[in-house]
Amino acid sequence: MDLTVVAYATLALSLFVSAVKMGGWILNADPRVIINSGRWALVALAALALGVLAWLIASGRWTSAMMLAAFMLPVFVQAAPRWRVLFGPLNAARSDFPPTSCRLPFAHPRHCPQKSPS
């Protein structure tokens, strides 16, 4: 018997057990934990795509780099309005500060918290 068959069988068994364990985790997990995991996975995917793009440019593979950049640009443009909502919980430490636009002289008073008279 060839050893590659044993290696593929072991890999298949490992992937099956991993899928069962992942399914059990999803069924028994808190929904907030799953949402946070998805957010961090999306951040990791974006960072990985930028890293691969930088590597393609550095190694001189211009055609592949242009194809990846052509795919990434519309994805980032479509996702940009949602980034504030997506990364809002990650900025929880800065949530007590007023928005930067409130410090501008032409800021609309309806959007800015009112200062209490003292």
Side-chain angles (χ1 to χ4, degrees), residues 36-80:
N36 285 337
S37 298
R39 284 187 182 134
W40 284 109
L42 187 61
V43 170
L45 182 65
L48 180 69
L50 289 173
V52 168
L53 181 64
W55 173 74
L56 287 172
I57 291 171
S59 64
R61 298 181 177 149
W62 295 104
T63 306
S64 300
M66 290 299 288
M67 287 174 47
L68 181 60
F71 174 75
M72 286 171 48
L73 184 63
V75 170
F76 283 142
V77 167
Q78 288 291 323

Side-chain angles (χ1 to χ4, degrees), residues 25 42 65 103:
W25 173 76
L42 187 61
R103 294 184 222 142

Side-chain angles (χ1 to χ4, degrees), residues 35-36 39-40 42-43 79-97:
I35 290 171
N36 285 337
R39 284 187 182 134
W40 284 109
L42 187 61
V43 170
R82 298 182 191 103
W83 285 351
R84 186 173 181 174
V85 174
L86 183 68
F87 298 126
L90 301 178
N91 295 335
R94 299 187 304 172
S95 65
D96 56 340
F97 292 108

